[in-house]
């Protein structure tokens, strides 16, 4: 059964059947990408002003990445148990608190805490936005906003740093707060009663995710911790099948397939993003500014074109999209391996970007349709977690291959 058969259609262009305009959902989700890609060009300025090394200030980005990884399932559970309004307001408070810390207290601990708070809040916003979509077109707009903002984030953040300050550039994720009034105004009714909150399951999943995030940086210790955490979580699922990670999700083959492919596509795309600047600099002798401007276009193409690609494949069987998007990613990797010409490398990046952005939306819709309606928000949290872990593993794998 395709996702379209279980996913209600829109009632009017750009509006979900529950009355939330898809544009509000895209604005709610998209700014998360500022926290992932935005700091890349401004961290040297932060290091200089703080009197720290560049490696020290990268903890700002690490904190954001860790927070969105653990925040995605945690905030999805909050949405499931407490409803949209309380989840939105909690996430908004976290983002506002984080922004205040980043802007008003220019010390590394405050910047790390502020970045983590913004990561938790924006992770919740993104999961809420994806769980509220009820059509492939709406899901496509949400995921396209994530990819498009991510492609332009470094340049926008750099411009914000020049016009205002590098601290202002670090609070660009707070732009998602602009969507809160619109989503609250159109929000659907509260959720049906859920099973009691499962604190043990939440702690075990948080520990597992934390270990996985650090596997690329310290694989022996983090890998052992991940195996132990995963084993304990599996044992816990047997005693609490309706807990933090519902068994109904784990036993849904389409959900597992979609989540696994989303992980692979994200790892491939972000690995290419990591490798491409070095390859272009080596082969074409371009400056960093030229490389940044050149890479913008294939990433922007992938984000914008994904909206149409998701709409076109909305009614396609799961098997078809499971071949199409990994095939596009494989073609991109193949081109990068066969040729080092700048034009070919940029085409390769465009293909992997299109595959990841389109795959995120297409597989998210099918993952949501594969689970019971009551588990939809939780499923979106777990799905996004897999995609984000792919984004974390991709650069580490690429660095290992390049080394």
């Amino acid at each position: 059964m395709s996702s379209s058969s279980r996913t209600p259609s829109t009632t009017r262009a750009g509006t979900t059947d529950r009355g939330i305009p898809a544009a509000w959902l895209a604005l709610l989700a998209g700014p998360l990408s500022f926290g992932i890609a935005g700091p890349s060009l401004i961290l040297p300025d932060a290091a200089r002003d703080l009197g720290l090394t560049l490696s020290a200030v990268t903890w700002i980005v690490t904190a954001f990445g860790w927070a969105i990884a653990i925040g995605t399932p945690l905030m999805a559970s909050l949405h499931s148990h407490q409803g949209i309004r309380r989840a939105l307001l909690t996430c908004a408070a976290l983002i506002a608190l984080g922004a205040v810390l980043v802007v008003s207290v220019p010390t590394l601990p405050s910047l790390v805490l502020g970045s983590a708070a913004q990561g938790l809040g924006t992770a919740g916003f993104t999961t809420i936005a994806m769980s509220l979509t009820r059509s492939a077109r709406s899901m496509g707009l949400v995921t396209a906003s994530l990819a498009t903002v991510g492609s332009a984030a470094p340049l926008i953040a750099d411009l914000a740093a020049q016009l205002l300050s590098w601290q202002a550039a670090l609070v660009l994720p707070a732009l998602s707060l602009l969507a809160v009034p619109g989503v609250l105004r159109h929000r659907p009714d509260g959720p049906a009663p859920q099973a009691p909150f499962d604190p043990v399951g939440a702690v075990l999943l948080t520990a597992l995710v934390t270990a996985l995030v650090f596997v690329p940086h310290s694989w022996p210790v983090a890998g052992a911790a991940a195996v132990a955490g995963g084993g304990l979580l599996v044992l816990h699922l047997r005693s609490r099948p309706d807990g933090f990670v519902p068994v109904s999700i784990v036993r849904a083959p389409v959900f597992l397939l979609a989540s696994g492919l989303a992980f692979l596509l994200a790892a491939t795309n972000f690995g290419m993003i990591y490798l491409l600047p070095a390859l272009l600099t080596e082969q074409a002798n371009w400056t960093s500014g030229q490389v940044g401007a050149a890479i913008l276009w294939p990433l922007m193409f992938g984000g914008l074109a994904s909206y149409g690609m998701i709409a076109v494949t909305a009614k396609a069987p799961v098997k078809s999209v499971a071949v199409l998007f990994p095939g596009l990613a494989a073609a991109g990797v193949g081109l990068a391996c066969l040729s080092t010409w700048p034009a070919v490398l940029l085409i390769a990046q465009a293909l992997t970007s299109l595959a990841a952005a389109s795959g995120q939306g297409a597989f998210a819709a099918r993952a949501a349709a594969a689970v019971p309606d009551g588990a939809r928000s939780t499923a979106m949290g777990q799905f996004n977690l897999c995609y984000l872990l792919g984004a974390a593993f991709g650069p580490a794998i690429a660095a290992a291959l390049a080394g």
Side-chain angles (χ1 to χ4, degrees), residues 232-247 250:
L232 290 174
L233 183 60
V234 170
L235 292 175
H236 180 69
L237 288 180
R238 295 181 177 179
S239 61
R240 187 69 187 273
D242 60 345
F244 193 76
V245 182
V247 171
V250 178

Side-chain angles (χ1 to χ4, degrees), residues 16-180:
T16 65
D17 62 352
R18 289 193 176 186
I20 301 180
W24 284 121
L25 300 180
L27 179 59
L28 192 70
L32 174 143
S33 294
F34 280 121
I36 299 174
S40 59
L41 297 180
I42 64 171
L43 287 181
D45 294 335
R48 183 190 64 247
D49 290 350
L50 295 172
L52 300 171
T53 63
L54 185 59
S55 60
V57 297
T58 55
W59 278 104
I60 297 172
V61 181
T62 301
F64 189 90
W66 172 80
I68 61 175
I70 68 164
T72 295
L74 288 175
M75 295 305 166
S77 179
L78 177 66
H79 177 195
S80 296
H81 289 83
Q82 300 297 326
I84 295 172
R85 178 180 176 82
R86 186 165 296 182
L88 279 172
L89 294 180
T90 299
C91 292
L94 286 168
I95 294 171
L97 174 62
V100 170
L101 286 173
V102 168
V103 171
S104 61
V105 188
T107 63
L108 185 59
S110 178
L111 293 169
V112 169
L113 288 174
S115 182
Q118 289 188 101
L120 288 170
T122 53
F125 275 176
T126 300
T127 299
I128 291 170
M130 294 180 73
S131 68
L132 290 177
T133 61
R134 288 297 183 271
S135 74
R137 189 177 298 274
S138 296
M139 183 69 80
L141 186 60
V142 170
T143 56
S145 72
L146 288 163
T148 304
V149 171
S151 65
L155 294 181
I156 295 175
D158 187 51
L159 180 61
Q162 293 179 29
L163 295 177
L164 300 171
S165 69
W166 56 264
Q167 290 167 271
L170 290 176
V171 299
L172 287 173
L175 291 174
S176 56
L177 294 173
L178 297 175
V180 173

Side-chain angles (χ1 to χ4, degrees), residues 185-250:
R185 185 165 58 250
H186 297 282
R187 75 184 189 280
D189 295 333
Q194 300 285 319
F197 181 68
D198 176 19
V200 175
V203 170
L204 290 175
L205 184 62
T206 300
L208 172 61
V209 171
T210 301
L212 289 173
V213 167
F214 284 96
V215 163
H217 306 284
S218 179
W219 69 266
V221 176
V227 171
L232 290 174
L233 183 60
V234 170
L235 292 175
H236 180 69
L237 288 180
R238 295 181 177 179
S239 61
R240 187 69 187 273
D242 60 345
F244 193 76
V245 182
V247 171
S248 61
I249 293 177
V250 178

